[in-house]
């Protein structure tokens, strides 16, 4: 007994860093989800699926991605669908956010260690803000999910003749999937059957945008919505960059697919604009589609790749390198082109460690995407544009697909599973969790400038 206690203390000591606990928690949820989906009761046929399929689906759900290797509504039973929905909700909350909420409900207060873990997951500004952030995360998530469901349910029941029970199930499932940027759908064609219905597409799109902004932004907007002068740098950058990317995305995708008879070409002008907007929102890492992505032009795929790689806001349900990382790198480049000694954003100076962190996240992400793309090109017959699209969709936890993911070999599915896990946690978090310890250097080396460019 003493040995077991000592072993437990040593294991916990190795998990004293919040980033490590986050990784272990997500990994544990992935294992539990895999085991539940591997049960015979989780499938319509009452036959167990392979661990590769179960783990891929569980990772796609807990990492709020939406990529699938089997058709969700026809392959999984109601039990399996509820497991997927539960994993999506847990992944959206954040494992540590949910655990901190349970601790808050049971003890009425949060321990310092729990606060630090919550800070790592929610990106809150300080340990003392953890309690407020946890409660705010839960309230905000449930509010947006309930509002979206309340729009979808009557539309499905009254507009499409769904029984109220079935309409409620569909509305709640898609509302949770939308706000958490998961992209799982209970229709084989995702939302293509609703391509001309703004009462379905717009609520889903708005829920995706809200979830993709990130919890810190949503919480700040709730307090200071009408006082933009008091918004933090993070909120201003997230809103400004997100709005710019959304506008450019809608313009580029709508123009590229305007005459494509397989996507927007056969629709009315209002429907084209609606679907152009919808597909500009989805690369924020949602994964729903109202037209067949596989029928889009390669140029549209490439532009979507860029949007998926950038992703959405930090500390939310979106993936990618995040819009703040993208914007900060743009500010760094602009300052360098102007010869400025410091990087300034508005009336604030950007710390050097934040610049290094943004650069590290971007380069590590590019490396991960390129490595997986090269491997998949070597082991599959698919072309570069399709492979790159699937890889970025997995890394950015998006879920959009050209249709080749189910046809990948088991090795490819395992690789995309790992990539989704990496994309959800972030290269920096995962690296910090795996590092043994940080080292402080007590001296500085002489400076020397190499030739650049």
């Amino acid at each position: 007994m003493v040995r077991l206690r000592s072993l437990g203390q040593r294991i916990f000591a190795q998990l004293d860093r919040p980033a490590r606990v986050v990784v272990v928690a997500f990994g544990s949820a992935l294992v539990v989800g895999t085991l539940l989906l591997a049960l015979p009761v989780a499938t319509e046929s009452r036959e167990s699926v392979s661990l590769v399929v179960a783990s891929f689906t569980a990772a796609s759900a807990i990492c709020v991605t939406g990529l699938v290797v089997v058709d969700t509504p026809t392959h999984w039973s109601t039990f399996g669908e509820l497991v997927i929905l539960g994993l999506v909700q847990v992944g959206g909350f954040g494992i540590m956010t949910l655990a901190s909420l349970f601790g808050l409900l049971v003890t009425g207060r949060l321990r310092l260690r729990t606060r630090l873990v919550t800070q790592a997951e929610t990106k809150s500004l300080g340990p003392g803000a953890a309690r407020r952030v946890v409660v705010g995360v839960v309230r905000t998530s449930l509010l947006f999910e309930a509002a979206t469901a309340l729009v979808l349910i009557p539309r499905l029941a009254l507009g499409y003749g769904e029984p109220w029970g079935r309409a409620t199930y569909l509305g709640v499932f898609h509302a949770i999937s939308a706000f958490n940027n998961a992209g799982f759908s209970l229709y084989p064609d995702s939302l293509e059957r609703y391509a001309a219905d703004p009462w379905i597409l717009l609520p889903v799109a708005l829920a995706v945008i809200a979830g993709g902004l990130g919890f810190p932004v949503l919480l700040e907007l709730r307090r200071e919505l009408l006082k933009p002068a008091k918004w933090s740098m993070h909120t201003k950058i997230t809103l400004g960059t997100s709005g710019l990317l959304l506008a450019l995305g809608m313009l580029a995708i709508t123009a590229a697919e305007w005459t494509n008879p397989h996507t927007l070409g056969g629709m009315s002008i209002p429907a084209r604009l609606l679907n152009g907007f919808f597909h500009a929102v989805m690369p924020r890492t949602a994964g729903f589609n109202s037209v067949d992505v596989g029928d889009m032009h390669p140029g549209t795929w490439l532009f979507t790749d860029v949007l998926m790689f950038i992703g959405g806001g930090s500390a939310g349900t979106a993936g990618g390198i995040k819009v703040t990382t993208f914007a900060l790198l743009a500010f760094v480049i602009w300052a360098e082109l102007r010869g400025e000694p410091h990087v300034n954003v508005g009336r604030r100076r950007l710390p050097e460690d934040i610049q290094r962190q943004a650069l590290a996240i971007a380069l590590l992400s590019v490396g991960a995407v390129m490595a997986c793309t090269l491997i998949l090109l070597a082991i599959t017959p698919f072309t570069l544009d399709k492979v790159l699209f699937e890889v970025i969709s997995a890394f950015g936890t998006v879920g959009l697909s050209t249709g080749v993911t189910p046809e990948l070999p088991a090795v490819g599915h395992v690789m995309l599973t790992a990539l989704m896990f990496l994309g959800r946690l972030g290269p920096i978090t995962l690296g910090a969790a795996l590092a043994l310890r940080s080292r402080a250097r007590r001296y500085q080396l002489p400076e020397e400038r190499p030739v650049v460019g």
Side-chain angles (χ1 to χ4, degrees):
M1 190 68 180
V2 175
R3 291 183 178 180
L4 289 177
R5 183 179 300 175
S6 177
L7 177 61
Q9 290 175 349
R10 289 199 301 269
I11 293 175
F12 191 78
Q14 290 298 318
L15 299 177
D16 58 351
R17 295 182 183 178
R20 292 184 182 181
V21 182
V22 171
V23 173
V24 171
F26 269 89
S28 301
L30 174 59
V31 171
V32 172
T34 299
L35 295 177
L36 290 175
L37 291 177
L39 296 174
V41 71
T43 64
E44 290 285 3
S45 63
R46 294 302 187 267
E47 296 180 358
S48 299
V49 298
S50 66
L51 287 179
V52 172
V53 173
S55 63
F56 186 96
T57 305
S60 185
I62 195 68
C63 298
V64 292
T65 303
L67 281 176
V68 296
V69 292
V70 293
D71 186 51
T72 301
T74 59
H75 183 85
W76 302 109
S77 64
T78 302
F79 174 80
E81 293 171 358
L82 291 176
V83 170
I84 292 173
L85 187 64
L87 292 173
V88 167
Q89 186 70 87
V90 170
F93 281 156
I95 298 298
M96 288 302 97
T97 304
L98 191 59
S100 299
L101 176 62
F102 288 158
L104 177 62
L105 294 175
V106 172
T107 66
R109 59 188 180 87
L110 293 174
R111 296 178 56 190
L112 178 60
R113 182 185 299 277
T114 307
R115 292 184 181 184
L116 292 175
V117 171
T118 306
Q119 178 187 359
E121 171 61 21
T122 62
K123 306 300 190 300
S124 58
L125 297 181
R131 178 170 176 164
R132 175 181 54 82
V133 169
V134 170
V135 176
V137 163
V138 175
R139 288 178 177 175
T140 303
S141 298
L142 295 179
L143 174 63
F144 277 98
E145 291 168 359
T148 305
L150 288 176
V151 177
L152 296 179
I153 292 171
R155 181 57 180 170
L156 292 171
L158 301 177
Y160 295 93
E162 294 282 359
W164 281 99
R166 176 65 177 172
T168 300
Y169 180 62
L170 291 172
V172 171
F173 188 100
H174 289 90
I176 293 176
S177 184
F179 179 75
N180 290 287
N181 282 206
F184 278 94
S185 176
L186 294 181
Y187 301 109
D189 60 353
S190 189
L191 299 181
E192 291 183 31
R193 64 188 63 193
Y194 303 119
D197 191 346
W199 288 100
I200 297 292
L201 297 189
L202 288 181
V204 170
L206 293 177
V208 169
I209 292 174
L213 289 177
F215 295 122
V217 174
L218 293 177
L219 295 176
E220 185 169 347
L221 289 179
R222 188 182 66 179
R223 298 191 306 268
E224 308 288 352
L225 178 61
L226 301 180
K227 301 176 182 178
K230 294 185 178 181
W231 291 353
S232 65
M233 178 194 297
H234 173 77
T235 296
K236 292 178 181 179
I237 290 177
T238 300
L239 292 178
T241 308
S242 297
L244 177 61
L245 292 175
L246 181 58
L248 291 177
M250 179 181 177
L251 178 63
I253 293 174
T254 304
E257 300 296 320
W258 188 265
T259 58
N260 186 344
H262 302 294
T263 56
L264 303 183
M267 300 180 180
S268 64
I269 292 180
R272 294 182 192 183
L273 296 176
L274 172 64
N275 285 269
F277 170 76
F278 187 80
H279 275 271
V281 172
M282 291 307 111
R284 297 183 58 82
T285 77
F288 292 107
N289 59 279
S290 58
V291 298
D292 192 345
V293 176
D295 290 333
M296 289 181 171
H297 293 307
T300 307
W301 289 345
L302 181 59
F303 190 80
T304 304
D305 287 342
V306 176
L307 295 178
M308 291 192 298
F309 185 77
I310 296 172
S314 299
T317 55
I321 64 172
K322 305 297 189 297
V323 293
T324 46
T325 302
F326 174 75
L328 292 180
L329 290 177
F331 283 119
V332 171
I333 294 174
W334 179 244
E336 187 65 26
L337 291 176
R338 298 184 61 185
E340 296 286 346
H342 302 288
V343 179
N344 299 320
V345 180
R347 296 180 178 272
R348 296 290 185 271
R349 181 167 57 87
L350 194 65
E352 293 184 0
D353 60 329
I354 297 297
Q355 301 174 40
R356 293 195 300 269
Q357 183 178 353
L359 182 61
I361 290 175
L363 292 181
L364 288 173
S365 301
V366 169
V369 168
M370 290 299 99
C372 291
T373 301
L374 290 173
I375 295 174
L376 288 180
L377 284 175
I379 63 177
T380 66
F382 302 114
T383 57
L384 173 61
D385 50 4
K386 291 186 176 181
V387 170
L388 182 63
F389 192 97
E390 305 297 308
V391 169
I392 295 179
S393 181
F395 175 79
T397 66
V398 180
L400 292 174
S401 175
T402 60
V404 304
T405 292
E407 302 177 28
L408 295 176
V411 175
H413 291 156
V414 172
M415 184 179 302
L416 291 186
T417 299
L419 200 59
M420 287 187 289
F421 192 78
L422 174 64
R424 177 63 180 99
L425 298 181
I428 296 298
T429 300
L430 187 59
L434 297 177
L436 292 177
R437 63 178 59 190
S438 59
R439 298 180 179 179
R441 177 165 292 181
R442 301 181 182 279
Y443 61 91
Q444 290 185 347
L445 297 175
E447 184 180 279
E448 183 175 352
R449 292 180 176 272
V451 178
V452 178

